[in-house]
Amino acid sequence: MPTETHENPAPETIERVVREGQLDGAIVTCLAACEVEYDGRSGGYLGPGDRLVVAKPDGTLLVHRPSGHQPVNWMPGGATIKVEEDGGSALLYARRSNPNEYLRVYLHEPHLLTRFDADDTATYQERGTEAEMHEYIEQNPETAIEDGFRVVEHERESVYGYIDFFGKDAEGRPVVVEVKRRQATLNNVDQLKRYMGLYRESNPDVRGILVAPSASDRVQRALRDDGLEFVELSEFAVETRESSEKTLSDFL
Amino acid sequence: MFKAIVSAETLKTTLDSVSVLVDECKVHLDEDGIEIRAVDPANVGMVDLRLSAEAFESYEADGGVIGVNLSRLEDIAGMADSGQLVELELDEETRKLHIQIDGLEYTLALIDPDSIRQEPDIPDLDLSAEVVIEGKDINRAVKASDMVSDHIALGVDASDELFYVDAEGDTDDVHLELTTEQLIDLQAGDARSLFSLDYLKDMNKAIPADAEVTLELGEEFPLKIKFPIAEGQGSVLFVLAPRIQSD
C-alpha cells in the first residue's frame, strides 16, 4: 500500500504517521486549519487559516496557502521534523541547529492526513537550453557556423556584457557570434550591433553572426541592412509546450 | 543628473500603469524623457512606458538609471492634491531621490538597479487585427466578464467586421460585440485569444475611461494594449501573454 489516509486525524495519529514517514522515507501531507510560527534568523507569525502542510522525508517542511507557487513558510531539507501534543491538538515542528531555527505549525483542525511512499528516481532533463547550443557550437564550430570557422574565445567579456563567441573565419577575419535559444528578435540584432561597434573601429572587416533556431523576415532584413549574418540552428527549435499558461518569453 | 517638476496627476498615472504589474522597477532618465520597462514575476504581463520631457513642467536629465520602490513612491505622490506640483531631484552621491510637495520634503532611498529583475524584450509580433476602442468600453467588458469567469476571450471577426468579447463561466456567460460604428477604428483580420482576467483587470485599472486605446490581437498570440497618458505626452504599452485553450 503506497498510501495511507486519515480523515480528521487525532494528534496521536498525526504523531505516529509523521514519525513513521520520516523513518521510512515517505511524504506526509496534512490539509488543515493551522497557525504558523517561525523563530530563527528572524521571527514570524501567520494567523489561523486553511493550508496544505507537507513534510518530506529529507526533513523539508512546507506550508502552502491556497494560492501562490511558493510556500508561505518552509524549512529546507536537513531539519528534524516532529509532532507533539499541544493543548489537545497536534503541533508539527521542524528544527534546524545551524542556524538555530524553528518552524512550528499548530494543526488546530486537521482535515486530512496522508502518507505517500513515493518512488521517484527520474531526473529532470531540460531541453533546448542556450548552454546546450553553446556546447554544440564549441564542439562543432564548422558544422554549426560555417566551414573554416574556429572559436577563439567563448564568452569574451566586453563593456556591453559577455560576447557568446569570438572567432575567426577561414580568411582569418574576426567574427562576433551571438547565440539565442528562441526565435531571434530585433533586440538581439541591436545587441549584436553594439558588440560589433567594439570591433569595427579597429577592424572594419569584422563579421557579426546571429545564431538562433529561427528568425522572422523582419529580423533577417534588419541583419542584412546592417551587414550582419544569420545562422539558423533549427535543431534547437523548442517543441510546442502543451500548457494552458503561456509566458511572454514564448513569443520572443 | 536628474531634476524635474511634474504634476501630481501625471506622476500618479505613470506610477499606476507600472505598479499594476510590479513592485519595483528601473527608471531610465534620458535627456528627452523617462522610460520604464518591466515584466511581472510570472513573465505573463509587461509594460513599456514613456513619458516625454514635455509632460513635465520642467525636466533636466542626462541619462542614467534608478531603481524605484513603486508603492513607496505612490504613497508619497498620494500626499499631493490634484493640481499640486511634485519636485524630484536625484542626489547622485547618496543615491536618494529628494521629493518636494508644497513644503513637504521626502527623501526616498533608491534600489540598486542591478538588483531589480531584468527588463524584458518586447516580443516582435505580427498581429492580424487592430482595434481602436474607448477605455470605458474595455472597462465594461472586463467588469462584466469578471462576474462570470476568470478568463476572457478577445477576438475579431474579419467577415462581419466586429470586435467581440466572450467570457464563459461555470453557469453564466457574457458576450459583447462592438461593430465598426461603435469602435473608433478596426483593421479586421481573424483573431481570437484567451487571457487571464486577473491581469486584464489590473491593466484595465491603468486605462483612463476617455482614452483611445489601441488593441492588437492575433490567434492565440499576446495582446498589445496601447494608450496615451499625460495629454498625449506619454504612452503606455501593455503586452499580455495568452492562455492556450485546452481541448
Side-chain angles (χ1 to χ4, degrees), chain A residues 18 27 41 96 105 108 140 152 157 162 188 199 222 239:
Chain A
V18 169
I27 302 180
R41 288 157 298 173
R96 288 210 314 162
V105 184
H108 298 308
N140 316 281
V152 174
E157 200 174 352
Y162 284 91
N188 303 150
Y199 294 98
E239 299 160 39

Side-chain angles (χ1 to χ4, degrees), chain A residues 167-187:
Chain A
K168 289 272 167 79
D169 69 6
E171 327 260 291
R173 282 177 300 206
V175 185
V176 173
V177 179
E178 178 60 28
V179 182
K180 292 290 161 197
R181 70 175 281 222
R182 306 221 180 248
Q183 190 183 46
T185 66
L186 290 174
N187 286 326

Side-chain angles (χ1 to χ4, degrees), chain B residues 23-143:
Chain B
D23 301 328
E24 43 191 51
C25 69
K26 294 183 203 182
V27 182
H28 292 261
L29 308 165
D30 299 330
E31 271 173 44
D32 52 356
I34 65 165
E35 184 183 359
I36 301 173
R37 196 187 282 183
V39 64
D40 86 295
N43 202 8
V44 171
M46 65 167 270
V47 59
D48 183 31
L49 177 143
R50 282 151 209 268
L51 193 61
S52 82
E54 283 79 49
F56 294 78
E57 301 298 314
S58 78
Y59 182 93
E60 277 176 83
D62 56 2
V65 184
I66 55 171
V68 171
N69 177 325
L70 283 166
S71 56
R72 194 75 61 77
L73 191 51
E74 274 185 312
D75 285 348
I76 305 162
M79 296 294 295
D81 296 328
S82 61
Q84 269 186 328
L85 292 177
V86 181
E87 285 186 52
L88 306 165
E89 186 171 359
L90 174 65
D91 184 329
E92 306 262 7
E93 261 169 43
T94 58
R95 295 305 290 172
K96 287 186 183 193
L97 190 66
H98 294 291
I99 303 159
Q100 279 206 44
I101 305 165
D102 192 26
L104 174 73
E105 280 181 42
Y106 194 109
T107 308
L108 176 71
L110 296 171
I111 307 170
D112 176 5
D114 289 337
S115 69
I116 296 177
R117 194 170 331 111
Q118 240 190 340
E119 290 162 306
D121 285 339
I122 298 179
D124 174 22
L125 307 166
D126 270 326
L127 296 168
S128 46
E130 190 179 294
V131 179
V132 185
I133 182 172
E134 275 187 80
K136 66 173 167 50
D137 285 328
I138 296 180
N139 182 46
R140 203 164 148 246
V142 167
K143 218 169 156 183

Side-chain angles (χ1 to χ4, degrees), chain A residues 185-188 216 218-219 243-249 251-252, chain B residues 42-44 46 121-126 222 239 241-244:
Chain A
T185 66
L186 290 174
N187 286 326
N188 303 150
S216 67
R218 212 188 302 183
V219 167
S243 144
S244 65
E245 273 307 346
K246 287 274 167 179
T247 70
L248 288 168
S249 322
F251 299 92
L252 280 178
Chain B
N43 202 8
V44 171
M46 65 167 270
D121 285 339
I122 298 179
D124 174 22
L125 307 166
D126 270 326
V239 187
R243 296 171 57 109
I244 301 299

Side-chain angles (χ1 to χ4, degrees), chain A:
Chain A
M1 233 318 247
T3 64
E4 173 185 341
T5 63
H6 301 272
E7 274 186 54
N8 306 314
E12 312 80 83
T13 313
I14 301 177
E15 193 279 327
R16 177 181 60 79
V17 173
V18 169
R19 178 166 38 83
E20 291 175 355
Q22 288 289 306
L23 277 175
D24 304 344
I27 302 180
V28 175
T29 66
C30 187
L31 308 183
C34 63
E35 230 174 312
V36 185
E37 254 176 30
Y38 168 76
D39 266 316
R41 288 157 298 173
S42 61
Y45 167 71
L46 179 67
D50 291 337
R51 284 154 209 141
L52 161 65
V53 182
V54 182
K56 295 187 182 178
D58 63 352
T60 301
L61 182 64
L62 307 170
V63 180
H64 274 280
R65 308 189 82 162
S67 64
H69 73 285
Q70 278 202 334
V72 58
N73 278 106
W74 70 91
M75 196 67 106
T80 311
I81 300 181
K82 285 195 170 147
V83 177
E84 276 174 13
E85 204 179 302
D86 178 80
S89 60
L91 160 61
L92 171 64
Y93 69 91
R95 182 174 53 81
R96 288 210 314 162
S97 46
N98 189 24
N100 197 19
E101 39 182 4
Y102 268 98
L103 182 62
R104 296 185 185 83
V105 184
Y106 296 88
L107 299 166
H108 298 308
E109 280 174 67
H111 301 296
L112 185 68
L113 181 73
T114 69
R115 166 187 166 140
F116 180 22
D117 288 86
D119 189 13
D120 184 358
T121 55
T123 49
Y124 178 65
Q125 288 176 337
E126 199 180 354
R127 274 187 298 276
T129 61
E130 201 167 301
E132 263 179 37
M133 292 178 77
H134 280 228
E135 203 181 304
Y136 176 75
I137 295 168
E138 211 168 10
Q139 286 168 6
N140 316 281
E142 297 199 65
T143 350
I145 308 293
E146 63 178 25
D147 284 344
F149 174 79
R150 62 191 173 85
V151 175
V152 174
E153 197 175 342
H154 182 201
E155 296 187 332
R156 167 179 285 211
E157 200 174 352
S158 83
V159 288
Y160 295 128
Y162 284 91
I163 294 173
D164 288 338
F165 287 98
F166 183 77
K168 289 272 167 79
D169 69 6
E171 327 260 291
R173 282 177 300 206
V175 185
V176 173
V177 179
E178 178 60 28
V179 182
K180 292 290 161 197
R181 70 175 281 222
R182 306 221 180 248
Q183 190 183 46
T185 66
L186 290 174
N187 286 326
N188 303 150
V189 179
D190 289 341
Q191 190 186 358
L192 181 58
K193 266 162 69 181
R194 276 197 297 279
Y195 292 153
M196 297 295 292
L198 297 172
Y199 294 98
R200 262 190 182 141
E201 248 174 61
S202 57
N203 189 343
D205 290 336
V206 64
R207 296 170 57 200
I209 300 182
L210 186 61
V211 181
S214 62
S216 67
D217 292 347
R218 212 188 302 183
V219 167
Q220 301 216 25
R221 210 177 311 126
L223 285 168
R224 261 201 314 278
D225 291 350
D226 283 301
L228 304 171
E229 296 155 68
F230 175 65
V231 167
E232 183 178 306
L233 275 190
S234 53
E235 46 271 60
F236 286 94
V238 185
E239 299 160 39
T240 357
R241 240 188 307 152
E242 282 307 313
S243 144
S244 65
E245 273 307 346
K246 287 274 167 179
T247 70
L248 288 168
S249 322
D250 293 325
F251 299 92
L252 280 178

